[in-house]
Amino acid sequence: MTGTPDDARPGTIAILIARYGRHWLISEAMGGGYYAVRRQSLSEEVLDRRNLSNVMCAGTLGEMARRLAAENEREGRLLGQ
């Protein structure tokens, strides 16, 4: 999937998990907000070259949805999709 999902308001964390959970572990953070950790870490070289992340934090589900969608798009270009 590309683009910002559903006006960046996913509603529940379950929607993000269903959409991105194959590649990301997504959870609520203890201090508030949300975090996502890549299930298989990428090398520093790939991260730097493609502006990708192994870990993301966001204050809201909408922000996390936007970050995951953007990361997904960058990965798509990386994989030639």
Side-chain angles (χ1 to χ4, degrees), residues 17-73:
I17 292 169
R19 193 171 281 158
Y20 301 106
R22 182 172 179 216
H23 300 288
W24 293 90
L25 172 63
I26 305 164
S27 186
E28 293 184 52
M30 287 185 65
Y34 302 87
Y35 68 91
V37 178
R38 195 178 287 278
R39 291 187 181 271
Q40 291 188 319
S41 295
L42 299 176
S43 70
E44 289 295 322
E45 179 184 342
V46 171
L47 294 174
D48 291 343
R49 188 174 64 231
R50 300 297 181 172
N51 194 30
L52 297 173
S53 304
N54 279 327
V55 177
M56 286 188 268
C57 298
T60 66
L61 282 173
E63 182 183 357
M64 182 58 74
R66 287 189 297 275
R67 289 178 182 220
L68 288 167
E71 189 89 355
N72 196 51
E73 284 189 34

Side-chain angles (χ1 to χ4, degrees), residues 1-11 19 60-63 65-66 69:
M1 173 175 213
T2 60
T4 304
D6 303 324
D7 193 23
R9 288 180 281 137
R19 193 171 281 158
T60 66
L61 282 173
E63 182 183 357
R66 287 189 297 275

